[in-house]
Amino acid sequence: GAVVSQHPSRVICKSGTSVKIECRSLDFQATTMFWYRQFPKQSLMLMATSNEGSKATYEQGVEKDKFLINHASLTLSTLTVTSAHPEDSSFYICSAQEPGRPGYFGPGTRLTVL
Amino acid sequence: GENVEQHPSTLSVQEGDSAVIKCTYSDSASNYFPWYKQELGKRPQLIIDIRSNVGEKKDQRIAVTLNKTAKHFSLHITETQPEDSAVYFCAASVGGTSYGKLTFGQGTILTVHP
Protein backbone atom coordinates (compact mmCIF):
# COMPACT_ATOMS: atom_id res chain seq x y z
CA GLY A 1 0.00 0.00 0.00
CA ALA A 2 0.90 3.65 -0.29
CA VAL A 3 3.28 5.01 2.34
CA VAL A 4 3.19 8.51 3.75
CA SER A 5 5.67 9.70 6.34
CA GLN A 6 5.76 12.73 8.59
CA HIS A 7 8.65 14.28 10.42
CA PRO A 8 9.04 14.92 13.24
CA SER A 9 6.64 12.57 15.00
CA ARG A 10 6.58 14.83 18.02
CA VAL A 11 8.03 18.23 18.81
CA ILE A 12 8.11 20.45 21.86
CA CYS A 13 8.90 24.10 21.40
CA LYS A 14 8.81 27.37 23.27
CA SER A 15 6.10 29.91 22.70
CA GLY A 16 6.99 32.32 19.90
CA THR A 17 9.15 29.93 17.92
CA SER A 18 8.36 28.42 14.53
CA VAL A 19 8.05 24.73 13.80
CA LYS A 20 8.25 22.98 10.44
CA ILE A 21 6.49 19.68 9.80
CA GLU A 22 7.29 17.60 6.73
CA CYS A 23 4.95 15.23 4.93
CA ARG A 24 6.36 12.87 2.32
CA SER A 25 4.77 10.39 -0.03
CA LEU A 26 7.34 7.63 -0.31
CA ASP A 27 6.10 5.48 -3.16
CA PHE A 28 3.76 7.63 -5.20
CA GLN A 29 3.44 11.15 -6.52
CA ALA A 30 1.06 13.23 -4.46
CA THR A 31 -0.44 15.95 -6.59
CA THR A 32 -2.55 17.05 -3.64
CA MET A 33 -1.71 17.24 0.03
CA PHE A 34 -4.20 17.95 2.80
CA TRP A 35 -3.33 19.16 6.27
CA TYR A 36 -5.60 18.33 9.19
CA ARG A 37 -5.48 19.28 12.84
CA GLN A 38 -6.86 17.17 15.65
CA PHE A 39 -7.23 18.44 19.21
CA PRO A 40 -7.36 15.88 22.02
CA LYS A 41 -10.51 13.79 22.01
CA GLN A 42 -11.83 15.67 19.01
CA SER A 43 -12.30 15.03 15.33
CA LEU A 44 -10.02 15.91 12.45
CA MET A 45 -10.47 19.36 10.99
CA LEU A 46 -9.17 20.24 7.56
CA MET A 47 -6.82 23.20 7.63
CA ALA A 48 -5.76 23.56 4.04
CA THR A 49 -5.40 21.89 0.67
CA SER A 50 -2.28 22.24 -1.41
CA ASN A 51 -1.63 21.26 -4.98
CA GLU A 52 1.91 20.84 -6.17
CA GLY A 53 3.28 24.10 -7.50
CA SER A 54 0.27 26.17 -6.41
CA LYS A 55 -0.64 28.23 -3.39
CA ALA A 56 -2.52 26.41 -0.70
CA THR A 57 -6.24 26.90 -0.19
CA TYR A 58 -7.07 27.48 3.45
CA GLU A 59 -10.29 26.59 5.20
CA GLN A 60 -12.32 29.31 6.83
CA GLY A 61 -10.87 30.39 10.14
CA VAL A 62 -7.35 29.12 9.44
CA GLU A 63 -4.76 31.89 9.35
CA LYS A 64 -2.65 31.49 6.25
CA ASP A 65 0.11 33.73 7.61
CA LYS A 66 0.39 31.57 10.71
CA PHE A 67 0.24 28.18 9.05
CA LEU A 68 2.53 28.34 6.05
CA ILE A 69 2.15 25.49 3.60
CA ASN A 70 4.58 24.67 0.85
CA HIS A 71 4.11 21.91 -1.72
CA ALA A 72 7.18 22.33 -3.86
CA SER A 73 7.42 18.79 -5.17
CA LEU A 74 5.18 15.82 -5.86
CA THR A 75 6.51 13.98 -2.83
CA LEU A 76 6.93 16.69 -0.20
CA SER A 77 4.72 19.21 1.52
CA THR A 78 5.64 21.23 4.59
CA LEU A 79 3.55 22.95 7.21
CA THR A 80 5.25 25.68 9.22
CA VAL A 81 3.56 26.90 12.36
CA THR A 82 4.90 30.41 12.84
CA SER A 83 5.13 32.12 16.22
CA ALA A 84 3.59 29.10 17.89
CA HIS A 85 1.54 29.54 21.05
CA PRO A 86 0.16 26.99 23.52
CA GLU A 87 -3.21 27.01 21.79
CA ASP A 88 -1.50 25.67 18.66
CA SER A 89 -0.62 22.49 20.53
CA SER A 90 -2.33 19.72 18.61
CA PHE A 91 -1.90 16.61 16.48
CA TYR A 92 -1.18 17.61 12.89
CA ILE A 93 -1.84 15.00 10.20
CA CYS A 94 -1.23 15.22 6.49
CA SER A 95 -2.99 13.26 3.78
CA ALA A 96 -1.29 12.71 0.46
CA GLN A 97 -3.31 11.98 -2.64
CA GLU A 98 -2.60 10.92 -6.17
CA PRO A 99 -5.18 11.68 -8.86
CA GLY A 100 -8.32 9.59 -8.77
CA ARG A 101 -7.50 7.82 -5.52
CA PRO A 102 -8.36 8.45 -1.87
CA GLY A 103 -5.73 10.18 0.21
CA TYR A 104 -3.37 8.33 2.55
CA PHE A 105 -2.74 9.72 5.99
CA GLY A 106 0.67 10.29 7.48
CA PRO A 107 1.38 9.10 11.02
CA GLY A 108 0.85 12.56 12.47
CA THR A 109 2.99 15.05 14.39
CA ARG A 110 2.29 15.86 18.02
CA LEU A 111 3.12 19.53 18.63
CA THR A 112 3.40 20.82 22.17
CA VAL A 113 4.03 24.52 22.68
CA LEU A 114 5.22 25.50 26.13
CA GLY B 1 -20.12 23.64 3.36
CA GLU B 2 -20.57 20.01 4.28
CA ASN B 3 -21.64 19.08 7.83
CA VAL B 4 -21.39 15.51 9.10
CA GLU B 5 -23.11 14.40 12.27
CA GLN B 6 -22.13 11.12 13.92
CA HIS B 7 -23.88 9.11 16.64
CA PRO B 8 -23.41 7.74 19.20
CA SER B 9 -20.38 9.46 20.71
CA THR B 10 -19.63 6.37 22.80
CA LEU B 11 -20.65 2.76 22.30
CA SER B 12 -19.99 -0.12 24.64
CA VAL B 13 -20.70 -3.71 23.59
CA GLN B 14 -19.88 -7.21 24.69
CA GLU B 15 -17.51 -9.29 22.64
CA GLY B 16 -19.42 -11.06 19.89
CA ASP B 17 -22.19 -8.47 19.73
CA SER B 18 -22.78 -6.18 16.77
CA ALA B 19 -22.03 -2.45 16.76
CA VAL B 20 -23.70 0.16 14.60
CA ILE B 21 -22.56 3.74 14.12
CA LYS B 22 -24.62 6.22 12.16
CA CYS B 23 -23.79 9.41 10.28
CA THR B 24 -25.76 12.02 8.43
CA TYR B 25 -24.44 14.55 5.96
CA SER B 26 -25.80 17.79 4.60
CA ASP B 27 -24.31 18.28 1.13
CA SER B 28 -26.22 16.33 -1.50
CA ALA B 29 -23.19 16.63 -3.79
CA SER B 30 -21.11 14.39 -1.51
CA ASN B 31 -20.56 11.02 -3.08
CA TYR B 32 -17.69 9.41 -1.23
CA PHE B 33 -18.11 8.12 2.32
CA PRO B 34 -15.14 6.50 4.08
CA TRP B 35 -14.93 5.12 7.59
CA TYR B 36 -11.76 5.32 9.66
CA LYS B 37 -10.54 3.58 12.76
CA GLN B 38 -8.11 5.53 14.91
CA GLU B 39 -6.17 4.17 17.84
CA LEU B 40 -4.75 6.54 20.43
CA GLY B 41 -1.94 8.66 19.04
CA LYS B 42 -2.00 7.02 15.63
CA ARG B 43 -3.13 7.91 12.16
CA PRO B 44 -6.70 7.22 11.01
CA GLN B 45 -6.85 3.91 9.21
CA LEU B 46 -9.33 3.47 6.36
CA ILE B 47 -11.45 0.42 7.10
CA ILE B 48 -14.16 0.65 4.45
CA ASP B 49 -15.60 3.18 2.05
CA ILE B 50 -18.60 3.51 -0.22
CA ARG B 51 -19.49 5.58 -3.26
CA SER B 52 -22.93 7.01 -3.74
CA ASN B 53 -23.76 4.72 -6.66
CA VAL B 54 -23.70 1.77 -4.25
CA GLY B 55 -26.16 1.12 -1.41
CA GLU B 56 -24.16 -1.37 0.60
CA LYS B 57 -20.65 -2.73 0.80
CA LYS B 58 -19.29 -5.51 2.95
CA ASP B 59 -15.80 -6.63 3.89
CA GLN B 60 -15.74 -9.60 6.24
CA ARG B 61 -17.14 -8.38 9.59
CA ILE B 62 -17.55 -4.80 8.45
CA ALA B 63 -20.32 -3.37 6.31
CA VAL B 64 -21.42 0.10 5.32
CA THR B 65 -24.88 1.09 4.12
CA LEU B 66 -25.80 4.32 2.39
CA ASN B 67 -29.18 5.97 1.97
CA LYS B 68 -28.56 8.84 -0.42
CA THR B 69 -32.14 10.05 -0.32
CA ALA B 70 -32.06 10.43 3.44
CA LYS B 71 -28.39 11.49 3.41
CA HIS B 72 -27.24 9.02 5.99
CA PHE B 73 -24.81 6.14 6.12
CA SER B 74 -23.96 3.58 8.74
CA LEU B 75 -21.12 1.33 9.79
CA HIS B 76 -21.94 -2.17 10.97
CA ILE B 77 -19.42 -4.34 12.77
CA THR B 78 -20.48 -7.90 13.50
CA GLU B 79 -18.92 -10.37 15.92
CA THR B 80 -17.01 -7.62 17.65
CA GLN B 81 -13.65 -8.38 19.22
CA PRO B 82 -11.70 -6.49 21.90
CA GLU B 83 -9.22 -5.35 19.24
CA ASP B 84 -12.08 -3.50 17.53
CA SER B 85 -11.97 -1.03 20.44
CA ALA B 86 -10.94 2.35 19.05
CA VAL B 87 -12.36 5.65 17.87
CA TYR B 88 -14.29 5.43 14.62
CA PHE B 89 -14.84 8.38 12.32
CA CYS B 90 -17.14 8.71 9.36
CA ALA B 91 -16.39 11.25 6.67
CA ALA B 92 -17.86 12.63 3.50
CA SER B 93 -16.48 14.30 0.42
CA VAL B 94 -17.28 15.14 -3.14
CA GLY B 95 -15.36 12.52 -5.10
CA GLY B 96 -13.43 12.77 -8.29
CA THR B 97 -10.10 14.47 -7.74
CA SER B 98 -11.19 15.76 -4.35
CA TYR B 99 -11.33 12.41 -2.58
CA GLY B 100 -9.14 13.67 0.20
CA LYS B 101 -10.94 16.85 1.21
CA LEU B 102 -12.89 15.11 3.90
CA THR B 103 -15.38 16.44 6.38
CA PHE B 104 -15.32 14.21 9.44
CA GLY B 105 -17.97 13.29 11.94
CA GLN B 106 -17.32 13.85 15.62
CA GLY B 107 -16.17 10.29 16.25
CA THR B 108 -17.46 7.30 18.20
CA ILE B 109 -15.47 5.68 20.97
CA LEU B 110 -16.17 1.96 20.66
CA THR B 111 -15.34 -0.27 23.61
CA VAL B 112 -15.66 -4.03 23.23
CA HIS B 113 -15.65 -5.83 26.56
CA PRO B 114 -14.22 -9.36 26.65
Side-chain angles (χ1 to χ4, degrees):
Chain A
V3 180
V4 178
S5 69
Q6 269 183 253
H7 179 80
S9 57
R10 56 178 63 231
V11 55
I12 301 172
C13 68
K14 293 182 178 180
S15 187
T17 61
S18 294
V19 174
K20 180 185 284 188
I21 301 169
E22 294 185 348
C23 176
R24 294 182 185 272
S25 56
L26 301 183
D27 55 357
F28 66 98
Q29 294 187 327
T31 52
T32 305
M33 294 270 200
F34 302 88
W35 286 94
Y36 294 85
R37 179 168 54 182
Q38 185 176 32
F39 292 110
K41 298 185 179 182
Q42 293 190 24
S43 188
L44 288 83
M45 297 295 293
L46 179 66
M47 299 176 67
T49 303
S50 73
N51 292 298
E52 186 264 339
S54 303
K55 287 185 178 180
T57 302
Y58 290 81
E59 295 299 302
Q60 191 173 8
V62 178
E63 301 174 59
K64 62 179 182 180
D65 293 331
K66 180 170 183 63
F67 299 99
L68 303 179
I69 292 172
N70 183 281
H71 190 172
S73 79
L74 287 171
T75 59
L76 173 64
S77 176
T78 60
L79 167 67
T80 301
V81 183
T82 63
S83 187
H85 288 93
E87 57 265 31
D88 298 322
S89 297
S90 188
F91 193 50
Y92 292 86
I93 310 175
C94 68
S95 173
Q97 182 193 306
E98 54 186 332
R101 298 181 67 84
Y104 298 96
F105 283 101
T109 297
R110 173 76 58 194
L111 170 64
T112 303
V113 185
L114 302 177
Chain B
E2 174 68 282
N3 182 50
V4 178
E5 297 287 333
Q6 182 172 346
H7 298 280
S9 57
T10 61
L11 180 59
S12 184
V13 299
Q14 289 295 127
E15 183 176 2
D17 288 350
S18 295
V20 180
I21 303 171
K22 299 182 179 182
C23 289
T24 60
Y25 62 99
S26 62
D27 189 348
S28 56
S30 290
N31 60 3
Y32 176 64
F33 307 94
W35 285 88
Y36 291 90
K37 175 183 180 182
Q38 187 179 32
E39 297 176 346
L40 190 62
K42 300 203 174 170
R43 79 184 86 194
Q45 178 185 4
L46 178 67
I47 56 172
I48 196 167
D49 57 9
I50 192 168
R51 300 298 302 269
S52 62
N53 58 346
V54 176
E56 183 175 356
K57 183 176 178 181
K58 189 174 182 180
D59 183 5
Q60 299 183 349
R61 297 186 298 110
I62 296 173
V64 56
T65 59
L66 171 65
N67 183 327
K68 204 165 191 295
T69 302
K71 289 192 272 189
H72 66 70
F73 56 113
S74 301
L75 177 71
H76 305 253
I77 305 174
T78 58
E79 301 171 31
T80 54
Q81 302 166 2
E83 49 266 39
D84 294 330
S85 297
V87 182
Y88 289 80
F89 291 99
C90 63
S93 79
V94 176
T97 58
S98 298
Y99 267 109
K101 184 174 178 177
L102 298 168
T103 300
F104 284 85
Q106 296 87 345
T108 297
I109 301 172
L110 174 64
T111 304
V112 180
H113 299 281

